[in-house]
Amino acid sequence: MADNEELQEEPWEERTLNLLHDSNIDQELSATKSRKRGRKKHSMKWMKTPMAIPEVIVELQEQELRETALRCLSSFLVEKREEDPENYSRTGYFLYNSCGTVAILLQEVIMFYGKMMDGSLNVRSAKRLANVLTLLQSIAANPETRQNFVNSCFPNYLILLVLFETQLEVYEIVRAMALSVVGILCQAREPKIIQWAIKNDMVEVCRVSIQIGNELSKVIAMHILEAILQDWSGISYICSPTRDKLLKGLMETLARLVAYLAEDQDFSPRLLFHILRCSFLLCRHRRGYNIVMDNLPVQIMDVSFQDLLEFPVIQCLLDQLSLAVGKIEKCFPISSLHNFLEWKHAEPLCH
């Protein structure tokens, strides 16, 4: 029980969602909700290790030292990510290019697979894998190692971690961490990485995460979707007539989530924000616009989310979407949303 409480107290959002470049709005919405509840933001306190990073990386080679080495490296990376980004980036480079380290990290993931299958998952194993995934985050974030990391097919092994279903509450930490590695890869919107995401069906993986994951996993999954949708090849793939089932399945999943949020008096504002944002991005494609028009949840158009004065950015998005799909007949003035969507190919969608 004590281990479980300790795990829940970890600042997991700061170890996952906050690593994504455009997560500031999520932090602001979460902070607004926390202030409303009278909560204080978690203050991170991490162990400082006096050992040189290369020395600790070498200790990964020794089975009896590996768990401690993983914990030390993970703590160092969490601490240095904002405080010392140069050392954070350098550590990711060392991890990827040091002899045998990537193979050891992959071995850790595969060993965790065994625990998933035989039902022996526990808090300790989840924390150990979370430390492994923290190391993978730094590799994914480094522009010198990112593409090689994808080419190695290592990220493909994380998909099973995302899709695995279990009643064990602690597993949601693993799902969120695995998703965050993919999110870090995709946030740079590099064409080859977006193609990797498309080829490996990350849109469907994200849809399933939205369906089965907790709030943190849902938000990270929608960040990944938004990164794919902001790439022309990505939105073209999703909105292709041959992917009709994929797109409609995504809209149905978002609609179910909207219905849930409409009934929840203490709903998550950031989930609603990302649902609206995904809808706008889909509207960049003519077929996507038609699908959104036909499948937009009724709760978005009625009074379910009228009281959003505490969240003006959501109110603005909601008003704009309502105008676009409900009142404007000749032209969709989407260029006015450029600040929200950061779209490089902003053109009005005219009928």
Side-chain angles (χ1 to χ4, degrees):
M1 180 65 72
D3 285 343
N4 191 57
E5 290 177 357
E6 180 184 350
L7 187 68
Q8 295 303 323
E9 289 176 0
E10 295 264 21
W12 294 110
E13 291 201 8
E14 298 182 22
R15 295 187 64 173
T16 54
L17 179 62
N18 292 8
L19 273 68
L20 304 181
H21 292 328
D22 56 350
S23 66
N24 289 343
I25 184 65
D26 298 282
Q27 297 171 46
E28 292 171 8
L29 293 172
S30 181
T32 301
K33 187 176 180 182
S34 295
R35 285 195 298 271
K36 186 178 179 182
R37 290 177 170 178
R39 294 180 181 175
K40 294 182 179 180
K41 185 179 179 181
H42 187 97
S43 177
M44 287 200 304
K45 295 181 180 179
W46 292 103
M47 173 183 66
K48 293 186 178 181
T49 173
M51 294 181 286
I53 289 302
E55 294 177 17
V56 187
I57 293 176
V58 170
E59 289 185 354
L60 292 172
Q61 307 284 340
E62 302 291 335
Q63 281 281 2
E64 62 272 17
L65 300 176
R66 186 174 299 169
E67 187 169 8
T68 299
L70 287 169
R71 185 169 61 250
C72 287
L73 287 167
S74 174
S75 299
F76 175 83
L77 287 168
V78 170
E79 180 184 328
K80 296 299 181 183
R81 179 175 60 84
E82 293 182 356
E83 177 186 306
D84 189 357
E86 183 177 344
N87 267 322
Y88 179 86
S89 179
R90 183 180 293 118
T91 302
Y93 182 87
F94 286 158
L95 285 167
Y96 187 80
N97 291 287
S98 55
C99 182
T101 301
V102 172
I104 289 170
L105 298 180
L106 180 57
Q107 183 183 41
E108 288 288 318
V109 173
I110 293 173
M111 287 172 57
F112 190 81
Y113 281 179
K115 294 181 180 294
M116 291 162 55
M117 296 300 108
D118 65 19
S120 62
L121 288 177
N122 54 34
V123 172
R124 181 176 177 177
S125 60
K127 290 189 72 172
R128 178 165 175 157
L129 187 67
N131 289 331
V132 171
L133 293 169
T134 299
L135 272 55
L136 297 180
Q137 288 173 340
S138 70
I139 295 172
N142 189 315
E144 294 184 74
T145 57
R146 183 186 300 130
Q147 187 61 59
N148 288 335
F149 181 51
V150 170
N151 293 343
S152 74
C153 294
F154 196 138
N156 298 48
Y157 287 87
L158 305 183
I159 294 175
L160 182 58
L161 299 178
V162 174
L163 297 178
F164 184 66
E165 294 190 56
T166 176
Q167 297 300 316
L168 192 63
E169 185 177 353
V170 69
Y171 190 81
E172 285 304 322
I173 302 305
V174 173
R175 193 191 319 279
M177 292 289 292
L179 277 167
S180 72
V181 177
V182 178
I184 291 168
L185 287 171
C186 292
Q187 70 181 358
R189 300 174 198 163
E190 295 176 2
K192 289 183 179 180
I193 293 180
I194 296 299
Q195 285 300 314
W196 166 83
I198 292 171
K199 181 180 178 181
N200 288 279
D201 211 12
M202 281 308 303
V203 176
E204 176 63 12
V205 172
C206 289
R207 187 197 69 78
V208 174
S209 299
I210 295 169
Q211 185 171 293
I212 67 175
N214 65 2
E215 179 181 336
L216 181 56
S217 294
K218 293 179 195 296
V219 172
I220 298 172
M222 284 193 271
H223 270 277
I224 297 170
L225 279 176
E226 289 163 15
I228 295 172
L229 286 168
Q230 290 184 76
D231 181 270
W232 182 246
S233 64
I235 193 171
S236 297
Y237 170 83
I238 294 172
C239 295
S240 168
T242 60
R243 304 294 172 183
D244 188 69
K245 184 178 179 180
L246 176 66
L247 180 53
K248 289 185 177 178
L250 176 60
M251 290 302 300
E252 288 172 5
T253 299
L254 294 180
R256 284 193 294 269
L257 184 54
V258 168
Y260 170 78
L261 295 177
E263 295 177 0
D264 184 5
Q265 295 300 314
D266 189 31
F267 78 95
S268 168
R270 58 187 181 180
L271 284 177
L272 180 59
F273 172 83
H274 285 289
I275 291 168
L276 295 173
R277 198 163 187 252
C278 283
S279 298
F280 275 121
L281 288 169
L282 282 168
C283 288
R284 286 293 181 171
H285 192 283
R286 182 170 299 281
R287 188 166 181 277
Y289 177 74
N290 292 333
I291 294 292
V292 170
M293 284 280 290
D294 293 339
N295 296 275
L296 194 68
V298 294
Q299 294 87 351
I300 287 181
M301 301 303 293
D302 63 21
V303 297
S304 299
F305 300 108
Q306 269 197 339
D307 188 19
L308 292 171
L309 296 179
E310 292 179 270
F311 312 108
V313 65
I314 299 179
Q315 185 66 66
C316 180
L317 282 169
L318 188 59
D319 291 345
Q320 290 283 352
L321 183 59
S322 297
L323 286 170
V325 301
K327 297 181 181 180
I328 297 179
E329 299 179 355
K330 294 185 178 180
C331 185
F332 182 13
I334 201 155
S335 57
S336 63
L337 301 172
H338 179 72
N339 291 335
F340 292 115
L341 305 180
E342 299 178 356
W343 185 262
K344 295 182 179 179
H345 308 286
E347 296 179 0
L349 176 60
C350 299
H351 293 284

